[in-house]
Amino acid sequence: METKSAVKMLAALAQETRLAVFRQLVEAGPAGRAAGELAEVLGCAPATLSFHLKELSNAALIEGRQDGRFVIYAANFASMNALLAFMTENCCRASSADGCAC
Amino acid sequence: METKSAVKMLAALAQETRLAVFRQLVEAGPAGRAAGELAEVLGCAPATLSFHLKELSNAALIEGRQDGRFVIYAANFASMNALLAFMTENCCRASSADGCAC
DNA sequence: TCAATATTTCAACGATTGTCAAAATATGGA
DNA sequence: TCCATATTTTGACAATCGTTGAAATATTGA
């Protein structure tokens, strides 16, 4: 994974609402959740949520699919795994006395 | 780890220069690196670097110690491990077909 | 086609971020 | 003490971000 992608993903997750959205989608699994459902659960305006969904989508952390009148979003687990791999590889290399969980 | 701390850490790493700083410090290991050295390597003004070091410091991802005229910064590996643990726990739970590296 | 529902885009805004020169602060050596 | 070096703080600035109401778009069912 390139540094730029990693920064983009980290930035996408570095915001309370978006992190909450992503956790909801992780919990929901591949079935995902409708945008409106997420807005209600998280208590934010539809426009606001849409903005955040786009942000997460641009970072490739989630994907949306049209399902009738709804748009269902689901976490992209492969991307998240790639991010974790990047972080353990690039930010955890040194063998310190503290030990390294990676 | 609390969500707020996680967001703070993610935000600290979600910036090209700061991610570069952190990677330098990971590579340097517990011995760390002087602020000026980092500024030179990364090619940014001392004031700019100082701003980013503070940001990383506030997120508990790095720690500085005075050494004579220099201030030596080192990565806080325990914090980084805590962040990775948080991410694997909170953002990776679902058992998906894609599999989950965690 | 038309109305109802779901979502996104647009426009505007205040708040935060990233940058850096200049000034302030801290340390060590002469 | 005084100077030179290392770093941080301050102040200013443009750029980006997060929020939301209103308008636009998409889809379904009557």
Side-chain angles (χ1 to χ4, degrees):
Chain A
M1 161 173 294
E2 288 174 29
T3 299
K4 260 193 186 168
S5 306
V7 168
K8 210 169 180 181
M9 283 186 176
L10 289 167
L13 294 173
Q15 207 278 335
E16 240 177 309
T17 303
R18 284 197 297 266
L19 185 55
V21 168
F22 189 73
R23 287 167 82 172
Q24 285 287 324
L25 294 183
V26 167
E27 199 168 337
R33 264 179 184 269
E37 215 178 335
L38 289 167
E40 195 175 7
V41 169
L42 300 171
C44 64
T48 304
L49 189 81
S50 202
F51 167 81
H52 289 308
L53 289 171
K54 197 174 170 188
E55 205 78 354
L56 286 164
S57 218
N58 285 339
L61 280 164
I62 68 173
E63 270 161 12
R65 63 176 187 277
Q66 191 93 36
D67 178 23
R69 244 180 282 199
F70 303 86
V71 179
I72 309 292
Y73 284 91
N76 182 335
F77 292 98
S79 284
M80 187 59 186
N81 286 340
L83 177 58
L84 282 167
F86 175 91
M87 289 174 79
T88 52
E89 238 179 82
N90 289 276
C91 305
C92 242
R93 186 165 14 181
S95 57
S96 70
D98 303 323
C100 191
C102 323
Chain B
M1 164 175 293
E2 289 173 30
T3 298
K4 261 193 187 168
S5 306
V7 169
K8 212 169 180 180
M9 283 185 177
L10 289 168
L13 293 174
Q15 206 278 337
E16 239 178 312
T17 303
R18 284 197 297 267
L19 185 55
V21 168
F22 190 71
R23 287 168 82 173
Q24 284 287 325
L25 294 184
V26 166
E27 199 170 336
R33 263 179 185 269
E37 215 179 336
L38 290 167
E40 196 175 7
V41 169
L42 301 171
C44 66
T48 304
L49 189 82
S50 201
F51 168 82
H52 289 309
L53 289 171
K54 197 174 170 186
E55 206 79 354
L56 286 164
S57 217
N58 284 338
L61 281 165
I62 67 173
E63 271 162 10
R65 62 176 188 277
Q66 191 93 34
D67 179 24
R69 245 181 280 199
F70 303 86
V71 178
I72 308 293
Y73 285 91
N76 183 334
F77 292 98
S79 284
M80 187 59 186
N81 286 338
L83 177 59
L84 282 167
F86 175 92
M87 289 174 79
T88 52
E89 238 178 82
N90 290 276
C91 304
C92 242
R93 186 163 16 178
S95 56
S96 71
D98 304 322
C100 192
C102 325

